[in-house]
Amino acid sequence: MVEEAMESQKAQAAEWFKTLRDEIVAAFETLEDSQTTGPFAGAPAGRFDVSETSRASDDGSDAGGGLMSVMRGGRVFEKVGVNISTVYGTLGPRAQTAMAARKGLDGMADDPRFWASGISLVAHMQNPHTPAVHMNTRMFWTPHAWWFGGGSDLNPCIEYGEDTAHFHAVQKAHLDPHGDGHYPRLKAWADEYFYIPHRGRARGVGGIFMDDYCTGDWAADFALTQDIGRAFLPAFVPLVERRRDKKWSAADKDAQLIHRGLYAEYNLVYDRGTKFGLETGHDANAVLMSLPPMAKWV
C-alpha cells in the first residue's frame, strides 16, 4: 500500500509541474502579444518551439524524458526556456556517492533506483531594464527517501529596489500560510545557494530556495512546493510590464551582456541541477537551456 500511495503521489507531482508549465507558457506568449511599443514591437510575437527530450540509459531501456519549450528572438524575451521532465532509472556511482553524502543515506549501492520530476525555467530578456529570472520546482525519489526542492530568484543587470521588493513580497505572501518561518529561511537559503565564491558576490538579488526538503508529511510538502510555483507569475510578470518599454542605451546592453556572463559562470560551475542532469544522461540541450543567447566577459 505504501508503494502504491507513492506512485500516486509521483503522478500528482508530475501532473502539477505540467500544469504550471502550461500556465507559464500561455502567460509569456500573452506578454509577447501585448508588446506594441519599443524597438521589437514590429517583429512577430515570439512563440515557443516545443520538442520532446529523453534521458539516455546505459542499457538502452526507457528512462523517461520531457518537453523542452524554448522561445528565441521575441519582442520581450530574447531567450526563454520552460522545461518539464520525468526521468527514472539507476544512479551511477558518482551520483550515488553524492546523494549518500548529502542525505546521509545508507544502502544506495544496494538499490540505486531513482525517479525525478520537475519544471525548470530561465528567461533572458530583450530590454536590459527587464530582469532575467529563474524558477524551478521538483520532486526526487529513491527507495530510501523522497524530497522536494526549488524556488525562484531574480537576476537584474540594472537593479531597481521597488522591483526587488515586489518580487520578495509576493514570495513571502505565498509562503506565509505554510508558517511564518518559511520565507526568511528560504530567502537565506537562496542567498547562500546563488552566491558565486570566485566573484565574491551573489548572482542576482535573491529570492527563495529549498533543497532536500522532506518533513515526512508528503501532502504538506507538496502544497508548499505548489505555492512556490504559484508565486512565480505574480512575482515576475508585473516587473516585465513595468520595465519592457523603458528606453535603453548601448551601455545598458553592455551591462546586460556582462551580467549574463556572471549567470553562465554560476550555472556551469556551481549549479547542482546542471551537474545532475549531465551526469545522469538527460538531454544536454535541455540541461543547458539556462545559458543566455549572448554574453560578454571583460
Side-chain angles (χ1 to χ4, degrees):
M1 292 297 293
V2 172
E3 185 171 345
E4 290 179 4
M6 180 52 66
E7 289 304 310
S8 174
Q9 291 164 346
K10 289 179 186 177
Q12 289 180 58
E15 182 60 28
W16 159 250
F17 299 135
K18 181 181 182 302
T19 298
L20 182 59
R21 175 261 177 208
D22 293 346
E23 292 175 357
I24 292 171
V25 164
F28 282 5
E29 290 189 345
T30 297
L31 284 172
E32 285 286 313
D33 290 336
S34 62
Q35 182 65 29
T36 58
T37 60
F40 298 97
R47 287 293 180 267
F48 283 93
D49 293 323
V50 182
S51 58
E52 293 186 355
T53 63
S54 62
R55 175 179 174 267
S57 63
D58 294 336
D59 61 4
S61 61
D62 178 25
L67 290 177
M68 178 170 65
S69 304
V70 181
M71 181 195 303
R72 297 178 177 87
R75 297 173 179 174
V76 177
F77 297 93
E78 188 170 351
K79 179 188 176 186
V80 53
V82 187
N83 292 355
I84 54 170
S85 65
T86 299
V87 297
Y88 40 85
T90 57
L91 295 169
R94 288 179 60 185
Q96 291 176 37
T97 300
M99 195 73 66
R102 278 171 50 203
K103 298 291 293 179
L105 298 175
D106 296 323
M108 288 294 298
D110 297 330
D111 191 348
R113 289 178 296 149
F114 82 94
W115 177 97
S117 185
I119 178 173
S120 180
L121 175 156
V122 177
H124 299 287
M125 316 304 289
Q126 294 282 17
N127 192 323
H129 294 280
T130 308
V133 72
H134 157 261
M135 185 278 293
N136 79 81
T137 58
R138 59 192 177 274
M139 176 185 167
F140 201 95
W141 171 91
T142 77
H144 314 278
W146 56 263
W147 57 91
F148 289 94
S152 60
D153 64 295
L154 199 65
N155 297 270
C157 69
I158 301 171
E159 296 183 16
Y160 292 93
E162 61 268 36
D163 291 2
T164 301
H166 170 84
F167 190 80
H168 281 272
V170 174
Q171 309 286 351
K172 184 177 185 299
H174 281 75
L175 292 184
D176 280 352
H178 300 274
D180 292 342
H182 277 80
Y183 170 73
R185 186 161 61 88
L186 269 62
K187 178 184 181 299
W189 207 335
D191 291 341
E192 178 182 359
Y193 184 76
F194 295 112
Y195 184 79
I196 306 175
H198 69 268
R199 296 293 186 184
R201 59 156 293 175
R203 186 174 77 175
V205 295
I208 55 175
F209 179 78
M210 67 180 187
D211 207 359
D212 300 343
Y213 188 81
C214 175
T215 66
D217 184 336
W218 187 90
D221 294 352
F222 182 43
L224 173 64
T225 303
Q226 288 176 295
D227 276 340
I228 289 173
R230 291 188 184 104
F232 173 72
L233 285 174
F236 180 63
V237 169
L239 307 185
V240 178
E241 294 172 334
R242 181 184 296 168
R243 302 297 171 192
R244 62 184 179 178
D245 292 329
K246 189 174 179 64
K247 292 183 179 180
W248 75 79
S249 65
D252 294 334
K253 197 66 179 178
D254 195 58
Q256 182 189 53
L257 295 177
I258 291 171
H259 191 271
R260 285 179 178 176
L262 189 73
Y263 195 96
E265 287 178 17
Y266 176 86
N267 279 35
L268 291 173
V269 177
Y270 299 110
D271 186 71
R272 189 179 295 167
T274 301
K275 294 178 181 179
F276 178 82
L278 294 175
E279 286 187 0
T280 55
H282 196 55
D283 187 296
N285 289 328
V287 174
L288 299 174
M289 171 273 295
S290 62
L291 296 180
M294 296 179 64
K296 180 178 181 179
W297 283 263
V298 295

